[in-house]
Each structure stands twice: as structure tokens, then as C-alpha cells.
Amino acid sequence: MDNIQVLPISDKLRNIKPYNKYNISEIESRTDINNYNKFTHRIYISGCGGLISFVMGVLYEIAIKTNKIELIFGKDNKDLDRIQFTGVSGGAAAAGYFMAHMYGIHDIHWWFTHGRVNELYETRPLGKLINDLGTTFYVECERLGKVELLQRDQLVIIVSDMLYMKRVSLGILNDARENGLAHEATCNIPGYTSKIDLLPYVDGMVMNSWVRSNKCNRKILSDNEQKGKKIEYIPTLIFTLIKEHNQQNVIDMSKWKLGNKDISTKDFLPEGGKIRGDELFKYGRQSLKDNWDEVKEVIIKWKK
């Protein structure tokens, strides 16, 4: 047991209640943290596995389009401090990069290349590299004098606690080591991502399955709708914009295209080398352009 790393358990780890109702705004992004009421809008990005490059391409294109028309963050980013960025598994890194882009801490494409994201497609085991991504992110924010963004609950990382069968959120990261461990934990699949188990914390998507009785791939369907449909067991790819009073605005990217093909289970595996990562980033940008009219309407509803 000496080689097992455990995240520090302190007031920085707070429970997220597994509500009975399958409500995205409660289960996926309700964070019981001190500064919760400070934020009026939330952006949640689900686990995406090897499609993290695709998601980053989508977010990069959203950032370009919305910055031009001040759609999400208002003139001179006046609304930015009231938006909370939440992510789980690979979505935690994507949420961080999206937030960093909006605060002028490089752009998402810079993080994709210099943050070593495209190395995920050729590195094994994944755990150490994922840890390094979190560490690098913190160190760069610190170097640029922006580390307070990681210490005020604005960026929230969701982790599954298997000891108590609950979800916990990390909203205040005190140093680069904690940030690295948080990212490794939210992606932790024992025996796959790392040879070292970060017990008792594992991939944040695990609690999705437990809370929803394995219905997490059909998040945007009601219980009655789910009963009448065959459940496809593929990872969920969701970009959710959440406003107070349980207003839900979901952009389901799982039905979008990778070039001229549909997304399949295989695409969630981080394989194929850096060329594959670059390809997915381009696919993400193009898919957002193809679906921009729908996405724009969702964002407008969210901001009202």
C-alpha cells in the first residue's frame, strides 16, 4: 500500500449530493462549495476520453465566434467572473482550458499543443501524463499571475469517491501537486490510466453510472423516454450550459460528425499518435461550424 497516492482530504474536498431525480443541473454541476451563490451561470463539460481533442476544437471555435459578438461573456468580459466552469474526467481539463482562454491565459490551441494534450494519443501509462497536464496548467497560471482563478471555486473538478459512494468537488487547488492529483483522479481508471491507484478516488464519470443506474449515456432523456429505448453503452459527450433555477441548456456533441463519419465507441480511446490528436481538433472546429446555428440558440437561451 506504500505506493498508493491519496488526494488530501480536507475542507477542499466537499461532497456533491447524489440527488434522486436525474437532473443535470443538480447531479452534474451542483457543487456544495462556499462560493456557489457567487456564480449565476455554469458551464459543465462531461467526460470525453480520447475525444478531448475534439472537444477542445469545439470550444476553441465557440470562443472565437462568441468573442466576436460578446455572446457568452458580455462586453469586455464583464460577465466572466460570474460563470463557473465545471468538468469531469477529460472534461475537467477542457473546462480549465476554456476558462483560461477567456481570461487571456493563452488560447485553447496553445494549451492543446504546449500543454501536451496531443501526447495523450501515444503515451502509456496515461496517469502520469494526465497528472503532468494538471501540474503544467497550474504552474503556467502561477507564472502569469493568474493562479487566484484556481483558488476561488470558479473551476470545479468532479471526482468519484468509491469509499463513501459519493461525488466530491475540488474548487480550490492550493498548489501544482494538488491540481495534478485532481486531474489524475478524475480520469483514474485503475489498471488503465495508471499503475498506481489514487484510492479511493476514481474517474468522475463512475458516479454518473451509479447515481443514474447506468443511464448516464442518455442524460438528456427523461426516465420514461429511457425505458422505451435501447441504452447504448458509449461514453457521454455533453457540453451543458446551466443557469440558476434549474434551467438546462444541453449541447449533445455525441451525434456530431468526425469528418464524414459518426462518433463511435472506438473514438473515445486515446490512440493513433499526435496526428490523430491534431485531426480530432480540426474535426471539432468543423463540427461546431456545422452546428453553430443550434449552439448559438442554446447560448442565447442560457444567457437570458
Side-chain angles (χ1 to χ4, degrees):
M1 296 289 287
D2 291 340
N3 66 340
I4 293 178
Q5 298 181 53
V6 180
L7 284 174
I9 300 176
S10 65
D11 61 354
K12 293 185 295 297
L13 287 172
R14 303 181 178 91
N15 293 336
I16 291 184
K17 299 175 183 178
Y19 289 83
N20 293 325
K21 294 183 178 179
Y22 304 135
N23 183 305
I24 289 176
S25 63
E26 292 178 343
I27 295 178
E28 304 303 338
S29 294
R30 175 69 199 201
T31 52
D32 296 323
I33 55 184
N34 289 335
N35 294 327
Y36 180 81
N37 292 325
K38 168 185 173 182
F39 304 102
T40 59
H41 292 69
R42 301 172 216 291
I43 293 173
Y44 165 80
I45 303 175
S46 77
C48 45
L51 285 173
I52 183 174
S53 297
F54 176 82
V55 172
M56 289 180 71
V58 169
L59 296 176
Y60 183 59
E61 198 61 33
I62 286 177
I64 290 173
K65 287 185 175 295
T66 56
N67 269 1
K68 288 179 181 176
I69 56 179
E70 302 169 350
L71 189 58
I72 292 185
F73 304 105
K75 188 174 182 180
D76 300 323
N77 287 341
K78 68 181 180 64
D79 299 330
L80 185 51
D81 287 344
R82 296 200 292 269
I83 296 174
Q84 189 177 62
F85 298 79
T86 301
V88 58
S89 194
Y97 297 140
F98 192 42
M99 183 181 78
H101 181 121
M102 293 308 172
Y103 276 100
I105 310 173
H106 305 302
D107 63 29
I108 292 171
H109 188 261
W110 188 96
W111 286 109
F112 174 70
T113 53
H114 298 283
R116 303 172 58 201
V117 174
N118 58 350
E119 291 182 31
L120 291 169
Y121 299 88
E122 58 184 14
T123 303
R124 296 295 183 275
L126 287 169
K128 185 179 185 307
L129 177 57
I130 293 170
N131 191 308
D132 287 346
L133 295 181
T135 301
T136 300
F137 183 71
Y138 194 100
V139 168
E140 186 63 7
C141 289
E142 196 170 38
R143 185 183 73 82
L144 295 174
K146 300 287 187 177
V147 74
E148 76 279 356
L149 296 176
L150 307 180
Q151 298 176 344
R152 63 185 191 190
D153 293 327
Q154 189 169 9
L155 176 63
V156 176
I157 299 172
I158 306 297
V159 179
S160 297
D161 183 342
M162 297 309 292
L163 182 62
Y164 294 101
M165 292 300 285
K166 290 184 178 181
R167 297 163 66 100
V168 294
S169 62
L170 295 89
I172 300 177
L173 290 308
N174 284 328
D175 54 41
R177 177 181 174 276
E178 282 190 4
N179 201 52
L181 283 171
H183 281 279
E184 188 176 358
T186 192
C187 297
N188 182 33
I189 302 174
Y192 179 70
T193 59
S194 180
K195 294 179 180 177
I196 299 176
D197 300 339
L198 290 93
L199 300 177
Y201 303 107
V202 299
D203 193 303
M205 294 296 286
V206 171
M207 284 295 100
N208 284 39
S209 300
W210 179 73
V211 171
R212 295 169 178 271
S213 301
N214 294 316
K215 296 175 182 175
C216 61
N217 348 338
R218 294 295 187 186
K219 292 179 181 178
I220 60 175
L221 298 181
S222 68
D223 281 352
N224 289 334
E225 288 175 314
Q226 290 187 58
K227 289 175 183 176
K229 294 181 179 288
K230 180 181 178 182
I231 301 297
E232 297 174 10
Y233 290 96
I234 64 171
T236 306
L237 193 60
I238 296 286
F239 175 64
T240 308
L241 300 166
I242 299 164
K243 189 178 178 181
E244 286 305 308
H245 311 301
N246 288 337
Q247 181 177 338
Q248 300 173 41
N249 302 289
V250 179
I251 299 166
D252 184 359
M253 294 181 283
S254 64
K255 303 303 180 186
W256 291 6
K257 298 283 187 181
L258 295 180
N260 59 2
K261 68 179 284 292
D262 294 331
I263 294 174
S264 68
T265 305
K266 278 183 157 183
D267 294 317
F268 285 85
L269 298 175
E271 299 173 348
K274 290 183 179 180
I275 292 176
R276 174 62 170 167
D278 292 337
E279 180 183 59
L280 288 172
F281 191 90
K282 292 176 183 176
Y283 284 157
R285 293 193 66 182
Q286 185 58 51
S287 286
L288 188 280
K289 292 175 184 177
D290 294 341
N291 293 278
W292 173 240
D293 288 343
E294 174 191 349
V295 172
K296 182 179 178 181
E297 288 304 311
V298 172
I299 294 174
I300 290 172
K301 277 199 317 181
W302 172 66
K303 279 293 288 185
K304 285 181 178 178

